[in-house]
Amino acid sequence: RLTRSFSRSEMEALLKSYFLGSISPVAVEARKLLYWTPDPWGGWTRASALLAFPVGASRPLPLVSYQHGTVTRRDDVPSRLNREADAALIMACSGYVAVAPDYLGLGDSPGFHPYHHARSQASAVVDALRAARQAVRAAGVSLNGQLFLMGYSQGGYATLAAQREIEADPASEFRITASAPSAGAYDLSGTVADDFLSGRVPPNPYLYPYVLSAYVQVYGLAPDLGSLLRAPYDSTVPALYDGSHDSGVINAALPARPSEALRPEVLEAFRSDPEHPLRRALRENDLY
C-alpha cells in the first residue's frame, strides 16, 4: 500500500536535519506493509511495518531491517511516518530496501504489545522481511541477497531475537550479512532483574511494569497487572499501558523506584525465590 513518495529534495532536507548532508540521496517510495505473523501463543495475527526503497534503482539492492526503540503509544511507530521512520527512509535514499516492523500490538496490529517477548518479536521481524521481499518483487525491485539487521534499545533486543531465530534454522531462506543490535536488555534474568531490585532510581521507571504487564498476559502470571501492584498504583497504572499514553505520563504515575509499585509480598517472593514464575519467564527471554 503506497503511503507516500519522498522527492530527492525532501530526502536532502531530512539528511541535513541529521547532519548527513554529505550523502547524495535519491527519491524514495514508502509503503505500509500489512502481513500475518504468529502471536505469543502460536496463533496468527496481523502486523504492520514500513517499507521504503529508492525510486528507479537500476541494480539489485541489499535488504536492511531496522528495529525501533521502546514506545508505549500505538501510533509512535515507523509505518506512521514519524521520527521512527527516519532511519528507514535514510537507508532507502542511500540505496537499500529498508523495512521497519512496528511489532505486535502496535501500529495496525491488534491486542497488547508483548514487550520483550523474544519469540514473537523475532517472528514479527522475520515475517516483515518476508513481506518486504514479496512487495519489492511486485514493485519490480530486485534484491542482491545481502541482509542487514539493526536496532537500538528495544530494537537491539528485537534485532538479536531475529538474528537468533534466523541462525537457529538451518533451512532458513535468510543469510545475515551483518547485524548491529545496540543497547538492548539482553540479560533480563540477570542484569535487568538485579537492577530492578537494587533500589536505583532509573531514568525511565515505566520500562519495568511494561515488561511485567506483557508477561502477565503472555504467561498468565496473575489475573492482571493491577493484582501485583499496591495502592494506589493498582488502580492508576495498568490502564496507562493501553497504547494511548506516552512514557512521560506513565513515568509520572509511578514511584521513582519502580519496585516500590509492587505489593510487598509480591516483591519479596520475586526477590527470594529463584524459581519464581517471573524469573522463569525472564530466563526464557534472555538473549545473550
Side-chain angles (χ1 to χ4, degrees):
R1 179 189 302 178
L2 177 63
T3 302
R4 63 164 292 192
S5 297
F6 293 85
S7 67
R8 180 174 178 175
S9 61
E10 287 177 305
M11 295 312 304
E12 285 176 342
L14 179 62
L15 288 166
K16 288 178 180 177
S17 74
Y18 286 99
F19 305 99
L20 296 172
S22 61
I23 297 175
S24 180
V26 297
V28 167
E29 183 171 314
R31 299 184 178 189
K32 180 165 70 174
L33 289 178
L34 297 175
Y35 61 99
W36 293 98
T37 191
D39 65 21
W41 308 282
W44 290 103
T45 189
R46 186 175 65 177
S48 55
L50 172 67
L51 173 67
F53 53 90
V55 173
S58 59
R59 58 181 174 80
L61 303 176
L63 175 63
V64 59
S65 182
Y66 165 71
Q67 283 64 250
H68 67 81
T70 299
V71 299
T72 54
R73 294 181 68 252
R74 177 176 292 276
D75 290 332
D76 288 345
V77 290
S79 71
R80 300 302 193 256
L81 290 178
N82 54 30
R83 286 184 63 86
E84 283 294 352
D86 288 354
L89 295 173
I90 288 171
M91 287 184 281
C93 82
S94 307
Y96 292 80
V97 170
V99 60
D102 293 337
Y103 309 146
L104 298 188
L106 299 172
D108 288 66
S109 180
F112 73 100
H113 174 46
Y115 187 60
H116 278 74
H117 180 245
R119 188 173 66 251
S120 60
Q121 291 219 232
S123 56
V125 173
V126 174
D127 287 332
L129 288 169
R130 294 186 173 112
R133 289 193 314 185
Q134 294 178 8
V136 295
R137 187 182 302 123
V141 177
S142 58
L143 298 171
N144 68 6
Q146 290 183 307
L147 171 62
F148 298 89
L149 304 176
M150 63 181 295
Y152 185 82
S153 189
Q154 183 189 1
Y157 182 88
T159 296
L160 201 58
Q163 178 181 334
R164 182 176 69 175
E165 178 167 312
I166 291 170
E167 292 181 340
D169 180 7
S172 174
E173 70 267 39
F174 295 108
R175 292 293 180 269
I176 299 170
T177 305
S179 177
S182 302
Y186 314 115
D187 182 19
L188 294 173
S189 69
T191 304
V192 174
D194 291 346
D195 184 63
F196 175 75
L197 294 170
S198 71
R200 180 179 75 97
V201 176
N204 286 297
Y206 81 93
L207 296 171
Y208 299 90
Y210 205 3
V211 174
L212 186 57
S213 176
Y215 286 10
V216 162
Q217 295 176 81
V218 172
Y219 296 102
L221 299 180
D224 51 51
L225 176 62
S227 64
L228 299 176
L229 305 181
R230 66 179 177 88
Y233 308 110
D234 57 342
S235 60
T236 59
V237 169
L240 298 179
Y241 289 98
D242 65 353
S244 65
H245 298 83
D246 66 30
S247 58
V249 171
I250 306 174
N251 278 338
L254 287 164
R257 294 177 175 84
S259 61
E260 295 175 0
L262 293 182
R263 290 166 48 196
E265 65 272 23
V266 172
L267 179 60
E268 180 55 32
F270 177 65
R271 187 188 301 275
S272 61
D273 183 1
E275 292 303 316
H276 190 279
L278 177 56
R279 288 192 180 273
R280 292 200 299 269
L282 291 169
R283 284 199 296 269
E284 182 177 312
N285 290 282
D286 283 337
L287 284 177
Y288 59 88

